[in-house]
Amino acid sequence: MKILKFNLYTLLCAFMIAIVFNSCSKVLDEAENLSQYPPEGVFNDPSQSNAYLANLYSSSLPNSWPVNDGNSADESGGITGADAITPNSSRIFWPYQAIRKLNIFINSIPTGTLPDATKSNLVAQAKFLRAFLYFKTVVYYGGVPIIKEAQGLNDELKVPRNSTAECFTFIESDLNDAEAGLPPKYSGNDRGRIDQATVKAFRGRVLLYKASPQFNSANPYDNQYWATAYQANSEAKAFLDANGYGLLDKYSDIFTVKGNKECVLSIIGLNPGKTNLRGDDAVRPLSESKNATGGDQPIWALVQAYPMLDGKKITDPTSAYTYNEQSFWLNRDPRFAQTIVYNGAPFALSGKAGRRQYTMKNIASSLDAFGFAIQGENSYRTGFFTSKGLNLALPAPPTTSDYDWNEMRYAEVLFNLAESANETGNSNESLAALIAIRKRAGILPGADNLYGLKAGMNRTEMRTAILDEKYLEFAFEGKRYWDLRRHRLFATKLNGIHKYGMMATTVNGRTADQLTPADINGAAAYSLLPENFGYTVTELITSGAKAMVVPDTYYFFPIPLDYINQNPNLKQNVAWGGTFNPEL
């Protein structure tokens, strides 16, 4: 029996606001009501069932890039101060309203009159979405209540937390069911729908977390779950390879070329209606934006982390390239120039050919400058911006970029395989994955064809190399904080650190108070080059806390007190004064 198809266009129409497509008007009119109070007969009608499912996609998956997620890690500016996370604040994720809608759909579709193959396909997509939400909730808190039946709107959620082990089992079961009901790969107008490739890749992510030190602090790297994670990620890579996925040749195209072979799970941008998923307006320098403050500003630690062109660290005396702090941009990993915008760097925003980005006081727009007594102490600058994922051609303020957000891409599967392979005695596969990533980046192979990687790394060294490489490959893609948390590295990587930027302090030997008309005119004509300036590493300017406060209690967040007050059967995590152990 043929599966009744609905394409991505229909999906998007169901949850885009203020757009008029004649072919989707009925779906738009019905989607909101269907998501809350599905009337009798909804699940007998294919268009109404698809409208309901479209709403579930919107409420279950991320809707955009995670702008400023790096503020809580060592990627970008922003200081996590004391009590940033408490039982009453921050990092709250409690998706039971969306789970209720998913349960309605999962339990109602089989009772309708749609063809059996259609029912199986729709339920499979919904089960993936439910697994996605439960996984994120477990990563936040550990075990949470497993609810499989849709409660009434007036029912009270008075159930206790399931163990973390039970939750992982439930998530894996939903993923297995989802995979059984889906085709191998969607493409064309159906791109963006959940398929087997998505499920397999995501299962690898889930099982990597299950094996991680976050959930197994007493036995972080020799527990039984690593073998299962390795098997899942091996299968995911093999399946993706067989179905045309792989690393894209050009790193920067990953974020600007829609539907490329690296995209496994994409949130589709569509112009008009679902645009600016990158948050271009929030990430651009304020001089090329509007009412935004320059999100995702790289800090000096990230800038330093990029290796030289031969893949060697900037501190490695065996590198063929000499690193100099006053010319820090020269001969670096090509991903550096495709991610980091520094003083004097080409940055042709708003279609301005030849435009360069300046950050020096009295040379740059005061909105962009990193210097003392400019923005005020509450508006930090780092001396850097990022170009990653931005649509440079859009005029200011940018609001119409239809670039996608890639929630999962092939490179993540390689990293997940590399980690699990390293912990199961298969470090040769880990090395192969890192070489593939570095080769695609454009790093030179070297005489040993190791692309700057150390030969004969032991297990600990390889583990560090994997995390270091992922730090760069996925900068500003919402991975770093969670990777450090997953490996329980807050104490060594985040807690107590200070954040720094690079301040351009002179131009042609003159300070900001000694500038000549030629200096000003050179900036206006974009003729001042990075090497015309002098630089000083400077701590970020802010009136708030200077040191990051990221204690070990953050490895699992507290259940919000509002929810505990509503449901006394919810037990708080042990690190937050409760009795519930969130580990396996």
Side-chain angles (χ1 to χ4, degrees):
M1 186 172 294
K2 185 178 180 180
I3 295 176
L4 186 64
K5 294 179 67 178
F6 67 99
N7 63 29
L8 182 63
Y9 177 71
T10 306
L11 258 178
L12 289 168
C13 286
F15 58 78
M16 291 191 301
I17 305 301
I19 313 163
V20 178
F21 287 119
N22 291 334
S23 61
C24 298
S25 59
K26 182 179 179 182
V27 171
L28 283 168
D29 292 341
E30 293 175 344
E32 182 176 355
N33 287 335
L34 291 179
S35 70
Q36 290 287 354
Y37 310 103
E40 184 176 353
V42 164
F43 300 115
N44 298 329
D45 180 86
S47 65
Q48 294 187 74
S49 296
N50 289 328
Y52 191 102
L53 181 60
N55 184 279
L56 298 178
Y57 267 77
S58 181
S59 60
S60 302
L61 296 177
N63 285 316
S64 63
W65 282 65
V67 174
N68 283 336
D69 194 67
N71 285 5
S72 55
D74 51 0
E75 288 178 314
S76 54
I79 302 294
T80 299
D83 296 327
I85 294 174
T86 72
N88 288 309
S89 67
S90 191
R91 296 290 187 185
I92 293 175
F93 184 74
W94 202 249
Y96 281 95
Q97 182 179 4
I99 288 171
R100 176 183 177 274
K101 299 175 189 178
L102 285 161
N103 286 335
I104 290 173
F105 190 83
I106 290 167
N107 293 316
S108 299
I109 284 290
T111 68
T113 60
L114 296 174
D116 288 343
T118 302
K119 292 179 183 179
S120 176
N121 179 273
L122 296 177
V123 169
Q125 293 178 70
K127 284 198 171 183
F128 174 89
L129 298 175
R130 187 169 67 179
F132 191 96
L133 289 175
Y134 265 103
F135 172 66
K136 183 174 179 179
T137 313
V138 169
V139 168
Y140 267 52
Y141 308 113
V144 291
I146 295 174
I147 309 295
K148 301 179 182 179
E149 303 293 330
Q151 295 185 322
L153 288 176
N154 295 321
D155 290 348
E156 295 181 351
L157 184 64
K158 297 294 186 182
V159 295
R161 298 174 70 173
N162 287 84
S163 70
T164 300
E166 289 170 336
C167 287
F168 272 114
T169 298
F170 177 61
I171 292 165
E172 293 172 56
S173 176
D174 264 1
L175 292 177
N176 292 340
D177 290 348
E179 184 178 351
L182 294 170
K185 180 182 181 180
Y186 280 119
S187 60
N189 287 336
D190 288 322
R191 188 176 69 85
R193 295 176 63 188
I194 306 303
D195 51 26
Q196 287 185 9
T198 307
V199 175
K200 286 180 178 290
F202 184 71
R203 182 189 289 114
R205 180 194 287 184
V206 169
L207 294 177
L208 189 76
Y209 268 82
K210 184 178 181 180
S212 72
Q214 180 188 1
F215 291 96
N216 304 275
S217 62
N219 188 13
Y221 295 113
D222 293 303
N223 63 70
Q224 60 184 316
Y225 306 118
W226 281 107
T228 309
Y230 170 65
Q231 180 181 357
N233 283 292
S234 296
E235 291 177 357
K237 180 182 180 298
F239 188 87
L240 293 176
D241 290 344
N243 282 277
Y245 293 91
L247 292 175
L248 204 60
D249 292 339
K250 187 177 179 182
Y251 180 70
S252 60
D253 284 351
I254 299 168
F255 319 103
T256 60
V257 177
K258 293 167 72 70
N260 65 72
K261 67 178 182 178
E262 191 155 339
C263 306
V264 179
L265 173 57
S266 296
I267 312 304
I268 309 298
L270 186 67
N271 187 20
K274 193 171 179 61
T275 60
N276 204 22
L277 303 188
R278 176 62 177 104
D280 292 54
D281 193 35
V283 173
R284 283 186 175 202
L286 189 53
S287 65
E288 293 290 332
S289 184
K290 180 182 179 181
N291 300 328
T293 56
D296 285 351
Q297 293 181 51
I299 60 172
W300 183 236
L302 176 62
V303 172
Q304 288 181 296
Y306 285 89
M308 303 303 289
L309 184 57
D310 60 0
K312 302 293 180 112
K313 292 182 180 296
I314 61 174
T315 55
D316 190 337
T318 68
S319 175
Y321 301 93
T322 300
Y323 173 78
N324 187 321
E325 193 173 87
Q326 293 301 307
S327 55
F328 58 85
W329 59 89
L330 292 179
N331 300 315
R332 303 296 292 275
D333 174 345
R335 288 172 297 187
F336 177 97
Q338 296 175 56
T339 306
I340 307 295
V341 178
Y342 49 92
N343 180 67
F347 198 22
L349 288 170
S350 308
K352 297 177 182 177
R355 181 186 180 278
R356 291 180 179 272
Q357 179 65 51
Y358 298 112
T359 63
M360 180 180 166
K361 182 179 179 181
N362 293 343
I363 288 288
S365 161
S366 63
L367 299 171
D368 302 343
F370 178 32
F372 297 103
I374 299 178
Q375 293 87 15
E377 293 179 341
N378 292 318
S379 299
Y380 71 83
R381 295 289 183 270
T382 69
F384 301 103
F385 296 97
T386 186
S387 59
K388 192 172 188 178
L390 298 183
N391 188 336
L392 304 187
L394 293 177
T399 57
T400 57
S401 174
D402 66 350
Y403 291 167
D404 300 340
W405 158 241
N406 298 314
E407 171 61 26
M408 289 200 72
R409 56 185 179 93
Y410 182 86
E412 180 187 341
V413 176
L414 287 186
F415 277 102
N416 293 347
L417 175 59
E419 282 198 43
S420 54
N422 184 54
E423 306 305 343
T424 53
N426 299 287
S427 61
N428 58 315
E429 294 183 57
S430 307
L431 181 62
L434 292 184
I435 287 175
I437 292 289
R438 287 193 159 204
K439 182 178 181 180
R440 187 273 293 281
I443 290 173
L444 300 178
D448 57 5
N449 287 314
L450 289 178
Y451 293 82
L453 296 165
K454 179 183 176 181
M457 284 186 280
N458 62 35
R459 186 183 183 191
T460 301
E461 290 172 328
M462 179 63 77
R463 186 184 303 137
T464 299
I466 293 167
L467 286 175
D468 287 350
E469 194 69 30
K470 193 175 179 184
Y471 181 30
L472 307 178
E473 175 72 19
F474 283 90
F476 305 113
E477 293 182 62
K479 302 293 185 186
R480 179 63 171 177
Y481 175 84
W482 304 98
D483 284 341
L484 297 179
R485 186 173 183 259
R486 178 167 53 86
H487 281 273
R488 291 183 173 259
L489 291 174
F490 284 168
T492 57
K493 293 289 189 179
L494 294 184
N495 196 42
I497 70 168
H498 291 235
K499 293 187 176 182
Y500 296 84
M502 178 60 93
M503 188 180 292
T505 53
T506 62
V507 59
N508 296 321
R510 292 180 287 277
T511 68
D513 298 327
Q514 299 169 337
L515 298 179
T516 67
D519 298 328
I520 303 299
N521 292 335
Y526 304 132
S527 62
L528 291 179
L529 303 179
E531 54 266 32
N532 295 135
F533 295 83
Y535 301 92
T536 304
V537 176
T538 306
E539 188 166 6
L540 303 192
I541 303 166
T542 174
S543 60
K546 300 294 186 183
M548 292 276 282
V549 179
V550 192
D552 288 355
T553 53
Y554 289 7
Y555 290 134
F556 289 98
F557 301 140
I559 298 287
L561 288 181
D562 284 348
Y563 300 119
I564 291 179
N565 291 335
Q566 294 168 18
N567 177 12
N569 289 318
L570 288 177
K571 303 302 181 184
Q572 184 61 275
N573 286 329
V574 290
W576 297 91
T579 60
F580 188 89
N581 180 5
E583 296 191 44
L584 289 166

